[in-house]
Amino acid sequence: MGRYEWSRLNHLQVGKYAEYFVKMEFTMYGWEVYSTEVDDRGIDFVVRDGNGGFFEIQVKSVRQSNYIFIAKDKFQPKASLIAAVVLFTEDEPPQLYLIPSMRWQSEASVLLCSHDYEDKKSKPEWGINFSKKNQNLLDGFLFDQMIATLGK
């Protein structure tokens, strides 16, 4: 068995791994991490930087290239809200991306999209189109690059 055989994990295991992974990455950069007791508002945890700035973090996980979404009623863009997305590719370490929620409002693109589904059964959602075609757009949100810009 290889270390990064993500196919061995079920959906809940991948989600929990992603959440702990993101918390540890923030911790490695010296940020304080505060877990929420109940995830009823779409916030998985809160982080605080060395300057006292707080950010609410919503973690999403995706295997391979795929489309993922965040319900708009649980993720309303504001400066302190960030989507942390962990991409699991078989036999590779996870890739972590930080996408500030305000980017959906300022940068609608083939990568970040909005669907309101008026007169439909589906609820309005913010979407992320993970694909090899969009990889260059996605790379701008890599954790190591984005962590340096937070709190400034």
Side-chain angles (χ1 to χ4, degrees):
M1 275 195 296
R3 180 173 180 189
Y4 299 116
E5 288 184 35
W6 305 114
S7 59
R8 288 184 292 162
L9 304 180
N10 66 37
H11 178 75
L12 292 174
Q13 290 171 318
V14 167
K16 189 54 76 176
Y17 185 98
E19 189 173 324
Y20 283 118
F21 178 70
V22 176
K23 287 178 179 179
M24 293 312 299
E25 290 297 299
F26 272 104
T27 301
M28 291 290 294
Y29 276 86
W31 289 57
E32 296 174 26
V33 175
Y34 302 93
S35 297
T36 57
E37 294 298 318
V38 179
D39 180 9
D40 64 342
R41 301 185 193 278
I43 303 303
D44 291 308
F45 59 93
V46 174
V47 295
R48 185 172 82 165
D49 66 11
N51 300 322
F54 285 90
F55 293 93
E56 298 170 322
I57 308 296
Q58 170 65 56
V59 178
K60 290 293 187 181
S61 59
V62 61
R63 297 184 202 228
Q64 301 295 338
S65 296
N66 212 338
Y67 173 81
I68 62 171
F69 68 91
I70 305 171
K72 286 186 176 182
D73 64 349
K74 299 279 189 201
F75 194 82
Q76 298 170 352
K78 58 185 173 180
S80 62
L81 180 60
I82 298 171
V85 182
V86 183
L87 174 62
F88 293 97
T89 302
E90 196 70 10
D91 299 321
E92 293 182 21
Q95 286 290 318
L96 174 54
Y97 303 91
L98 295 180
I99 305 174
S101 63
M102 298 298 286
R103 299 296 277 269
W104 269 275
Q105 292 183 321
S106 65
E107 291 185 21
S109 67
V110 294
L111 177 65
L112 304 178
C113 57
S114 171
H115 298 289
D116 288 327
Y117 300 121
E118 292 181 25
D119 301 323
K120 307 278 187 202
K121 288 184 180 181
S122 296
K123 291 183 176 182
E125 66 190 31
W126 302 108
I128 307 169
N129 290 307
F130 278 85
S131 68
K132 292 195 185 297
K133 183 176 103 177
N134 293 338
Q135 189 63 50
N136 63 328
L137 298 171
L138 189 60
D139 286 346
F141 295 106
L142 281 165
F143 182 85
D144 290 337
Q145 295 177 69
M146 292 301 294
I147 193 80
T149 66
L150 296 179
K152 289 186 176 182

